[in-house]
Amino acid sequence: MTDRTKRNGARWGAATWVAGVTAVLAALPVAASGRLPERLATHWGDGGSPDDSMPLWAAASFPALIWAVLALSVTFAGRRAGDASGAWVGASLLSGGVLLTGAQASIVRANLDRADWRDAGPVGMEVAITAAAAVAAAVLGWLAGRRAVPAAAPVRPAAGDVMEIPPGERRVWLSRTSNPWLHLTAALMGLPAAAAAVAAAAGLIGPRWELIVPFAIASLAVLACSSVRARVTEAGLEVSFGPLGRPARRWTPGDIVSARAETRTPAQVGGWGYRLGGRGTTVMLRAGECLVIHPRKGSEFAVSVDDAERGAALLNALCAQQRSST
């Protein structure tokens, strides 16, 4: 997968997040309008009592407008900064969306079934939970963004299946692939869970765990299979999954008999994602070149990454060094 495709996938993911948060911010007060007063309490004083309010239309549109301005500003600044901006852009968009969505849900919940905005309930606990969730989202966005930064171009190996490594040198090979369609699928599968969770936080419905849990698990499972990073070092091969690199599989050079590059397609391995079949295990994110290892124990393992031939050559060299030293 090319860098352009990866960037397009990240942009689509960010656009989906921005649009989803905008829709939730604007729709949440409107959806509960039949149970809300004409004006909503939107600010609480030091004593925990509401001291300011907005009409319902303003309470719906003002946070959405703030979010739109924030998202556009962060996106514009990130594009000017280039690839190195991925970490802080992800942290800003995730934390900002979680913070505003949590605040909007807290406001709706505090005003729910009140005749007047001055009778709105306190929001202290909701604010603390929202702040903690926003910090956690910022950390996740930062870590995911740092992992997405393209690696430096590796050193070209000598021709053949085994890389020539001069004495005293150490070489590392790194390749990363992501599938924007699987990212989009994970986002769409997570929308029902997120909508039910926000509605429950706002007090519109009770906790619908039968809706939240299955969709959340499915979304996380697809997300974990939507991107992969393969790294070859003196320690062997490490294949890590998802935007945070968890979970991961590892093989030492002593665990591997040989490695090769091979062209595979989704039709050959049974589809997309983490596939088990007659060819062993294949992590299929895009048709084409795959790094395939033949371990000493178990079936073959393949992962669809770019520059697989170079990775296999380095891995074969490390395996040969391991055999010669034992």
Side-chain angles (χ1 to χ4, degrees):
M1 184 172 293
T2 65
D3 289 340
R4 181 178 180 180
T5 303
K6 296 174 184 177
R7 287 193 293 268
N8 287 339
R11 289 169 184 168
W12 274 108
T16 301
W17 171 252
V18 171
V21 172
T22 303
V24 169
L25 293 175
L28 197 56
V30 176
S33 59
R35 299 174 59 187
L36 296 174
E38 292 184 1
R39 297 183 66 87
L40 274 65
T42 54
H43 190 270
W44 282 255
D46 294 336
S49 299
D51 58 6
D52 199 4
S53 66
M54 285 184 179
L56 189 144
W57 67 267
S61 58
F62 188 63
L65 180 61
I66 291 177
W67 168 244
V69 172
L70 172 64
L72 288 174
S73 300
V74 170
T75 302
F76 179 75
R79 293 190 67 176
R80 288 181 62 89
D83 291 333
S85 66
W88 66 263
V89 168
S92 299
L93 289 180
L94 278 179
S95 62
V98 169
L99 183 64
L100 287 173
T101 301
Q104 187 76 308
S106 300
I107 288 173
V108 171
R109 186 181 186 90
N111 286 274
L112 206 62
D113 298 324
R114 310 284 179 168
D116 188 88
W117 68 268
R118 297 176 184 84
D119 300 326
V123 293
M125 180 61 69
E126 289 86 348
V127 170
I129 295 174
T130 297
V135 171
V139 173
L140 291 176
W142 178 268
L143 293 176
R146 285 181 62 87
R147 290 186 61 85
V149 175
V155 178
R156 291 279 180 183
D161 295 331
V162 179
M163 181 183 294
E164 294 290 340
I165 304 178
E169 284 193 9
R170 293 183 178 181
R171 294 189 177 178
V172 175
W173 174 85
L174 176 68
S175 185
R176 188 178 189 276
T177 301
S178 64
N179 187 312
W181 295 108
L182 290 179
H183 278 115
L184 181 60
T185 300
L188 293 177
M189 296 180 73
L191 282 179
V198 172
L204 301 181
I205 61 174
R208 300 292 299 273
W209 300 115
E210 71 279 7
L211 178 63
I212 296 174
V213 173
F215 278 98
I217 292 176
S219 177
L220 291 174
V222 174
L223 182 63
C225 294
S226 63
S227 61
V228 65
R229 189 184 74 167
R231 182 175 63 173
V232 176
T233 65
E234 289 185 332
L237 172 65
E238 177 187 80
V239 178
S240 54
F241 301 89
L244 300 180
R246 297 290 185 277
R249 293 193 64 177
R250 297 176 179 85
W251 296 263
T252 67
D255 296 331
I256 300 172
V257 176
S258 63
R260 69 183 186 276
E262 181 179 296
T263 298
R264 294 188 179 185
T265 66
Q268 292 174 330
V269 300
W272 301 93
Y274 198 95
R275 314 304 300 180
L276 303 175
R279 293 191 170 197
T281 301
T282 302
V283 183
M284 177 55 63
L285 298 185
R286 55 105 179 96
E289 191 178 17
C290 295
L291 172 63
V292 185
I293 63 168
H294 182 73
R296 295 189 181 279
K297 296 181 180 180
S299 58
E300 289 190 338
F301 180 90
V303 55
S304 55
V305 290
D306 298 330
D307 197 35
E309 185 174 358
R310 191 174 311 176
L314 177 57
L315 197 53
N316 284 331
L318 296 173
C319 293
Q321 289 180 354
Q322 174 72 21
R323 287 192 291 269
S324 65
S325 63
T326 56

